[in-house]
Amino acid sequence: RSHSSAMLRPLKLIPSGVQSWYRETIAASGDSFAYCSTMSLHIFRLRDNVLHKMIAAHERAISSICWCTDDDNLLASCSVGCRIAIWDLELEEEKFAVKVAETPMLLDWACSGDKLVFGTEGGSVMLWEYKSNKQTKLFSVPSKTMRVLRWHPKNANKLLCGVEDGSLTVYNHQAGKKVVIVGRSKTSKDAVQDAQWDPLSEDYLLVAFNDGSLTLYDASTQKEIHSFDKQSQGIRSLAWARAQPGNFVTATDRVGLLRLWNVSQRSQLSQLKVGTSGVLCVKAVPSEPNWFVLSFKNSSVGVCDLAARTMRFLSSPGHAETIFDVAFHPTDHDLIGTASYDGHLKLWRISTSESHREMSAGKEQMLYGLSFGPNAAKICAVSGNGFLMIWKCDSGEEVVRQQLHNGQAYRCEWNLRGQMQIATGGADGNACVVDSSNGTVVRKLLHPQAVYGVKWHPMQDSILATGCQDGNVRVYNLADASSSSQNAMVTLQGHESRVFNIVFHPLIASIICSGSDDKTIRIWNWTPGYAGHRELRRLTGHTSYVRGLLWHSELPHILFSGSWDSTIRVWDVAEQKCLHASYDHHADVYGLALHPQRPFFLVSSSRDTTIRYWIFEDMVRPLLITALLKPESMAKLLGGSLSEPEACIHAAPGTKEAKKLLYGPASQALATELQSIGAQRPISLMVYRKLLTFFVYRAGIEDLWGLVATIRGEQMPGVNKSHRGFFHERELVGCQKTKALELASARASIGISGKQEERLLKAAQILLRIGDIRGYCRFTAQAGHWERAICIAPSVSQQFWQEMCSEYLDTLSAAGDIEEAAPFLIGIGRASKLVDKYIERSDLDNAFVVAKAESDGLTPTAYPSSSSAAAPHPPPNPNTRSKLEDVASVLASRYSEQGEPLLAAMCQLAVSKSMRAVSLLSRSHEVALSFVLADMLGQPHDPMVVKLLSQCLERDGRLREAAEILHLHPKGPSMHVPLLAARARNNEEARHISALTQTQHQELP
């Protein structure tokens, strides 16, 4: 679907996490890996770990997925909605599907033939020959006991089924016979946790049990062949290491480790740390024998390279269930908060799309709503069990947990005016007003049915509105002494079904909107003394229940809405019409939020478990271009008094057209600031930054200013380096060193996850990449990896190597391990000290041997101090510059392929290729960014960009500004400006443009 001309354009999405309640929710093929959230399939390319496709697969939770063994384009999934589907990934559509009688829980694809096997919650093992759509029952096990279902990887007639009582059934489809392996069924009765056929054998199978036992069986004799050391932490999943015959890996959901084993040994060979959370499932990648795809308990997904002992990819932990609410952090505008049915409240960093902090409400506490407190010191959320919880934002510490409602609590909002109270709505028919310091209820407003939406008035103290199951909107004045009863000050009636969300207008105090299950949005005048018809507008167009509602903070007539029909709609309230509908979400849209300082940047959340970024700048692009031409004219773009837009909404639809002007506090503050600094010429980098920050958002745009400032040789105040992803080559090494030092310091313990050892090793790797070998060795040693540090130390100097060995000896001496210290004492020329150590422990024989070797000159001596100088750096290789630029171009190409032209352009700016950067933005139709970048870096303006900008202004009726920008075109004064004058709407405009053209001609040399 093309979005090039869409009013609301998708910019980016944060994918959901992998669901954690079913194990078989990851899969791998030759060139891709996949995982499923609750109802969607996420397919990533293995070569670059980029999300390639996302498919809304089912209406109910997905219970298992598997890839076709001989066709990477086919992926199967089954759901608890009793449905199995096979997907054509290239076309992103169902190729085969079937409705089944019992809930399918497990699924596997035979190595040959057109057949799948699935196991049901009722215990049936069914064969589905999908091309003929034929189902056959093979056998059954007791209901709700099936744990594992696997075809043999090389024999399409052999099937394995592991059961909760510890037994295994091996079924031969061709012969129609089954045999049962007793396993643990007659002893401990520990359930089969996972089982895998040995790929090098016809009959051997490896089985992990719930008690941590691990056993190799022979299916032909039903006998145990070999057992391994019992694992105290249990085994959740296992997989064969195909590149290492006889080796396999196991994983536990207790810790983020992979353990490597060999079938001939009882004990593990080694272990590899793969994450900070327990592992739920591990799958081998068919095309890369050393690679494994992992799913984690914290909902992240990773790809591990066993041979390199490293993680090639690890996703940020995402939500695994419906995200019911989203809100921007009031003070740190690079953060958003989300509340999910999975019981987690997360803070996300917008610039990196990574989870910054996570707060858990605990088991069975589904979160429905969230709200930031004053100055974002705290954040609150309400749960499906009626609890209100409050956390500190900076530490994630829970400070309040109070049950307010019997049943669900649906919405909460912190009143940022007056007494800083929190309002909540619940299924018990109460709207509660709570003291935010301790969670105590100070007021209960009883409703006839469940209360859903609660909203404080943003401009008036103590005004609270509620949305109710009975279809009414009620407005209360909690400061009115006479309102101590349960009676609302105003009741707005008209909806035919429950009201879910209500939102006061952020600019026009008299207006409120409500969304309902009757599929409509109503716009009301709520003020008590209003004598007219209270329902001002009725917006229709959604085909299902209305959920998310959001007024625009700068354009008073614009409203956004989200619905169970999966759409986000943009409404012109004055005209009572839908301007645009976006269908990108795959399920109900619940949360909508607008950036406080970037009012044309929107974030949404949904039951499809994704968070999506949107831009809404197309509607105001003429205002942006006008401001870029003359920043000091920003004040002319302001609307002034709000009485005019208020009158437009109160008038009959279509009788008064709303002006496309800005009315919000952010635009007014910007205009005031630009009155003094905007008139300066040339236009400064600071002015451009302020304008684009207000009107435009792109991933990485904050990094742009630091790059341009460095190229221009300027200092850019206010640029936060701690979250930057792009640096100019001149500042890159210094910034990376600062990052490493911060990571290793004690200050890194705040806001940075990981233990001290992990942080030190990460810091060491950063220093290694920038050539600081001395720093790498120091941090590696501090992390406890002395041998690795000592191996690299000679590349600094021999003296430095001796220093490192001496320091290591001090740690060994403290431990009293003489034999461990012996090679280092001899190696650095301190054999005499080793002799003394042997004598101290009365090991005179060894003392004599070492003393003799030293006296004969057979042991090394200490290196002279002249060798302490570090080896000089070699002169620069002329080929390295070309290599640097080639890498920048490769990165730029990758970002372009991913639809991130600004990031691609910044790759070129990082190596001072300004012309390439401007050209790249022009070709990507980022005309405003291309225009600004060319102006800031002294590059010629692309004639096509100039024409596109002038056409945008002309369509908006701004012909004088269009003529002004056309003078930057090579043929502007001679051809394009006269043509524009000929198209003018009246003679006065034509004369003004013609006069401007003549003046420009006279100024030409």
Side-chain angles (χ1 to χ4, degrees):
R1 188 184 289 118
S2 174
H3 298 280
S4 58
S5 60
M7 180 176 292
L8 186 66
R9 285 193 285 155
L11 185 65
K12 192 174 184 179
L13 70 83
I14 300 177
S16 59
V18 62
Q19 55 158 291
S20 57
W21 41 95
Y22 300 112
R23 184 182 59 193
E24 302 295 323
T25 52
I26 58 172
S29 70
D31 57 3
S32 304
F33 67 92
Y35 70 85
C36 63
S37 59
T38 310
M39 293 171 292
S40 298
L41 300 172
H42 298 69
I43 294 92
F44 284 71
R45 290 194 302 252
L46 273 168
R47 62 181 172 87
D48 54 11
N49 304 310
V50 169
L51 179 62
H52 183 48
K53 294 181 184 293
M54 197 173 86
I55 300 173
H58 295 275
E59 293 294 324
R60 300 281 304 279
I62 299 171
S63 51
S64 181
I65 64 173
C66 64
W67 231 295
C68 181
T69 53
D70 54 11
D71 187 348
D72 288 348
N73 190 46
L74 298 181
L75 179 70
S77 62
C78 62
S79 84
V80 297
C82 295
R83 196 166 182 276
I84 304 174
I86 296 176
W87 302 90
D88 184 314
L89 298 181
E90 184 177 348
L91 300 177
E92 297 184 45
E93 62 183 28
E94 280 186 356
K95 193 174 182 70
F96 305 97
V98 65
K99 187 79 172 174
V100 296
E102 296 179 359
T103 304
M105 305 304 294
L106 296 169
L107 188 68
D108 201 26
W109 213 308
C111 64
S112 62
D114 304 321
K115 56 186 180 182
L116 283 162
V117 66
F118 62 93
T120 72
E121 189 175 33
S124 299
V125 177
M126 306 290 295
L127 182 72
W128 178 36
E129 296 171 90
Y130 51 86
K131 288 190 175 179
S132 60
N133 198 21
K134 179 184 177 183
Q135 294 183 49
T136 306
K137 184 174 181 178
L138 303 181
F139 61 92
S140 63
V141 297
S143 176
K144 298 183 179 180
T145 64
M146 199 180 308
R147 293 294 188 90
V148 180
L149 193 62
R150 305 247 189 261
W151 285 110
H152 194 286
K154 295 180 179 178
N155 187 336
N157 288 307
K158 275 198 169 182
L159 184 64
L160 165 67
C161 177
V163 186
E164 193 174 63
D165 68 358
S167 66
L168 301 107
T169 298
V170 177
Y171 182 80
N172 189 311
H173 179 228
Q174 187 176 29
K177 294 181 179 180
K178 69 175 183 178
V179 295
V180 176
I181 299 174
V182 173
R184 294 287 183 274
S185 62
K186 287 190 177 180
T187 54
S188 61
K189 296 202 178 289
D190 284 293
V192 174
Q193 278 290 82
D194 199 5
Q196 294 282 355
W197 290 99
D198 185 340
L200 301 179
S201 167
E202 183 71 20
D203 295 303
Y204 288 3
L205 51 96
L206 189 63
V207 185
F209 296 94
N210 194 47
D211 64 348
S213 301
L214 186 62
T215 307
L216 185 68
Y217 288 98
D218 184 341
S220 63
T221 63
Q222 299 95 57
K223 300 289 187 182
E224 178 182 311
I225 302 174
H226 183 61
S227 63
F228 303 84
D229 289 344
K230 191 174 181 179
Q231 300 299 294
S232 60
Q233 294 175 323
I235 296 173
R236 171 79 183 211
S237 183
L238 55 88
W240 290 95
R242 295 188 304 109
Q244 306 170 25
N247 284 4
F248 61 93
V249 295
T250 62
T252 173
D253 59 5
R254 306 284 183 85
V255 292
L257 293 175
L258 281 187
R259 292 185 168 88
L260 180 65
W261 306 73
N262 185 273
V263 291
S264 64
Q265 300 182 32
R266 287 186 58 87
S267 301
Q268 67 182 48
L269 302 177
S270 63
Q271 63 185 31
L272 172 64
K273 186 171 180 60
V274 291
T276 58
S277 178
V279 180
L280 297 179
C281 188
V282 54
K283 296 283 186 181
V285 176
S287 58
E288 296 287 345
N290 284 304
W291 292 10
F292 297 88
V293 179
L294 312 171
S295 64
F296 292 88
K297 202 171 181 178
N298 65 358
S299 298
S300 60
V301 178
V303 178
C304 172
D305 185 335
L306 190 62
R309 298 185 62 80
T310 186
M311 291 296 291
R312 293 179 50 84
F313 167 73
L314 184 62
S315 69
S316 185
H319 285 298
E321 256 288 4
T322 302
I323 305 172
F324 281 110
D325 207 359
V326 61
F328 277 95
H329 194 287
T331 57
D332 186 343
H333 301 145
D334 194 39
L335 289 178
I336 55 173
T338 55
S340 171
Y341 192 83
D342 62 16
H344 290 90
L345 189 150
K346 291 176 181 280
L347 299 181
W348 301 85
R349 195 154 293 286
I350 298 169
S351 56
T352 62
S353 298
E354 293 182 351
S355 177
H356 172 71
R357 180 159 289 110
E358 180 178 305
M359 289 147 274
S360 174
K363 291 184 178 180
E364 316 246 336
Q365 293 284 352
M366 300 78 71
L367 298 183
Y368 286 125
L370 69 89
S371 181
F372 283 99
N375 301 315
K378 297 177 182 177
I379 188 171
C380 69
V382 288
S383 78
N385 291 346
F387 280 84
L388 169 71
M389 285 147 285
I390 303 176
W391 295 269
K392 290 181 179 179
C393 284
D394 59 353
S395 64
E397 177 191 355
E398 185 180 295
V399 292
V400 171
R401 177 179 289 255
Q402 186 75 31
Q403 183 160 14
L404 305 179
H405 299 277
N406 293 320
Q408 295 98 326
Y410 294 108
R411 278 289 182 262
C412 61
E413 190 182 36
W414 214 307
N415 185 7
L416 303 183
R417 302 176 60 87
Q419 299 179 29
M420 307 300 181
Q421 296 170 329
I422 299 172
T424 66
D428 57 4
N430 285 312
C432 294
V433 181
V434 179
D435 183 338
S436 61
S437 64
N438 55 25
T440 303
V441 177
V442 298
R443 185 81 174 270
K444 273 191 179 183
L445 303 171
L446 182 61
H447 291 61
Q449 296 182 52
V451 179
Y452 293 91
V454 288
K455 213 71 177 176
W456 295 101
H457 199 290
M459 293 171 277
Q460 299 184 20
D461 292 344
S462 304
I463 301 297
L464 176 69
T466 64
C468 184
Q469 178 78 37
D470 65 2
N472 292 335
V473 178
R474 293 172 174 83
V475 183
Y476 297 85
N477 183 357
L478 302 185
D480 188 351
S482 64
S483 67
S484 57
S485 69
Q486 298 294 322
N487 294 329
M489 177 173 58
V490 174
T491 300
L492 305 172
Q493 298 177 322
H495 281 296
E496 298 172 5
S497 189
R498 69 170 164 176
V499 174
F500 198 86
N501 276 322
I502 69 271
V503 185
F504 283 106
H505 201 293
L507 302 173
I508 304 173
S510 63
I511 290 177
I512 190 172
C513 71
S514 56
S516 168
D517 286 6
D518 65 9
K519 308 174 189 177
T520 70
I521 302 163
R522 313 286 176 111
I523 313 298
W524 314 85
N525 184 311
W526 69 270
T527 52
Y530 183 66
H533 186 55
R534 290 197 177 275
E535 185 181 310
L536 306 176
R537 295 287 187 275
R538 184 179 302 183
L539 307 178
T540 60
H542 280 299
T543 59
S544 190
Y545 305 156
V546 178
R547 287 297 177 259
L549 287 175
L550 176 69
W551 287 104
H552 198 275
S553 59
E554 291 287 342
L555 304 174
H557 62 294
I558 295 298
L559 177 74
F560 303 94
S561 64
S563 167
W564 274 23
D565 62 13
S566 307
T567 68
I568 298 175
R569 291 180 181 265
V570 185
W571 303 89
D572 184 330
V573 174
E575 297 289 332
Q576 194 172 276
K577 67 179 181 181
C578 179
L579 301 176
H580 174 76
S582 168
Y583 296 85
D584 289 70
H585 273 298
H586 296 162
D588 322 347
V589 179
Y590 279 95
L592 296 171
L594 208 59
H595 196 288
Q597 299 301 317
R598 288 192 174 100
F600 303 99
F601 174 40
L602 184 80
V603 173
S604 63
S605 66
S606 165
R607 192 165 68 99
D608 67 12
T609 63
T610 64
I611 304 165
R612 294 178 186 257
Y613 299 168
W614 309 82
I615 50 176
F616 182 65
E617 67 202 45
D618 288 6
M619 176 175 274
V620 292
R621 193 176 300 280
L623 306 186
L624 166 62
I625 300 168
T626 301
L628 292 176
L629 285 173
K630 293 184 177 180
E632 68 276 15
S633 69
M634 180 72 188
K636 297 179 181 179
L637 307 179
L638 303 184
S641 171
L642 286 161
S643 58
E644 188 171 346
E646 184 175 16
C648 289
I649 296 176
H650 278 78
T655 58
K656 294 191 71 173
E657 183 179 357
K659 293 182 179 179
K660 194 188 299 179
L661 295 171
L662 306 172
Y663 291 85
S667 61
Q668 293 176 13
L670 178 61
T672 301
E673 204 170 0
L674 293 179
Q675 281 179 349
S676 57
I677 63 174
Q680 301 170 6
R681 294 295 184 274
I683 298 171
S684 70
L685 176 57
M686 179 65 74
V687 169
Y688 274 138
R689 181 190 178 197
K690 288 181 179 296
L691 284 169
L692 288 179
T693 296
F694 177 79
F695 282 103
V696 174
Y697 179 78
R698 299 290 186 276
I701 195 167
E702 285 302 320
D703 294 349
L704 175 66
W705 312 115
L707 286 169
V708 173
T710 303
I711 293 173
R712 287 164 53 120
E714 300 177 6
Q715 292 293 322
M716 191 66 189
V719 174
N720 187 353
K721 290 187 177 182
S722 62
H723 301 311
R724 282 179 61 183
F726 284 83
F727 296 93
H728 192 272
E729 57 177 304
R730 294 176 206 156
E731 57 180 350
L732 179 62
V733 171
C735 290
Q736 289 292 300
K737 182 171 286 190
T738 300
K739 180 180 177 182
L741 294 175
E742 289 179 352
L743 192 63
S745 70
R747 290 173 297 174
S749 61
I750 300 176
I752 297 179
S753 61
K755 297 178 182 179
Q756 184 181 15
E757 178 187 349
E758 295 172 7
R759 293 199 305 270
L760 287 168
L761 289 176
K762 287 179 181 177
Q765 288 298 320
I766 293 172
L767 293 180
L768 178 66
R769 286 192 285 267
I770 61 174
D772 185 354
I773 307 300
R774 184 184 294 269
Y776 167 81
C777 292
R778 288 293 183 196
F779 283 157
T780 302
Q782 288 179 39
H785 296 257
W786 281 97
E787 292 85 351
R788 189 188 308 172
I790 289 169
C791 285
I792 305 301
S795 65
V796 177
S797 69
Q798 293 292 350
Q799 182 65 28
F800 179 66
W801 175 77
Q802 284 191 337
E803 291 174 9
M804 294 294 296
C805 289
S806 296
E807 292 172 14
Y808 184 40
L809 281 170
D810 292 339
T811 66
L812 293 177
S813 298
D817 193 341
I818 298 176
E819 298 305 329
E820 185 74 17
F824 295 96
L825 286 169
I826 293 174
I828 64 175
R830 294 169 64 183
S832 59
K833 185 165 184 177
L834 179 59
V835 172
D836 294 339
K837 290 287 185 183
Y838 279 134
I839 292 173
E840 286 176 11
R841 55 184 274 182
S842 300
D843 191 351
L844 301 180
D845 290 341
N846 283 329
F848 181 80
V849 172
V850 174
K852 168 61 178 173
E854 184 180 27
S855 68
D856 290 352
L858 300 178
T859 59
T861 57
Y863 291 100
S865 58
S866 60
S867 65
S868 63
H873 287 288
N877 186 337
N879 293 329
T880 59
R881 179 69 200 178
S882 174
K883 186 68 173 178
L884 177 65
E885 293 176 4
D886 288 345
V887 172
S889 295
V890 171
L891 283 171
S893 298
R894 178 169 296 181
Y895 280 121
S896 293
E897 290 175 5
Q898 296 172 9
E900 299 283 6
L902 179 59
L903 299 183
M906 289 195 296
C907 291
Q908 300 292 356
L909 289 176
V911 292
S912 298
K913 294 297 181 182
S914 303
M915 187 174 292
R916 290 184 187 176
V918 172
S919 175
L920 202 155
L921 290 173
S922 301
R923 296 196 309 271
S924 303
H925 298 284
E926 290 284 5
V927 291
L929 289 172
S930 173
F931 177 83
V932 169
L933 193 60
D935 195 53
M936 288 191 295
L937 298 178
Q939 298 294 321
H941 289 289
D942 187 330
M944 182 57 67
V945 168
V946 172
K947 284 190 68 176
L948 289 172
L949 293 175
S950 69
Q951 289 169 6
C952 178
L953 291 167
E954 184 181 355
R955 285 194 298 270
D956 201 53
R958 300 175 182 271
L959 270 66
R960 297 185 182 188
E961 291 86 351
E964 185 173 342
I965 202 168
L966 277 173
H967 281 94
L968 300 173
H969 194 286
K971 296 182 179 180
S974 61
M975 182 174 74
H976 293 298
V977 176
L979 288 173
L980 178 65
R983 296 194 298 271
R985 294 171 296 185
N986 54 60
N987 292 333
E988 183 182 351
E989 277 189 343
R991 282 195 299 271
H992 179 86
I993 295 171
S994 299
L996 182 63
T997 305
Q998 292 168 8
T999 303
Q1000 292 288 335
H1001 274 302
Q1002 291 170 6
E1003 292 176 355
L1004 292 174

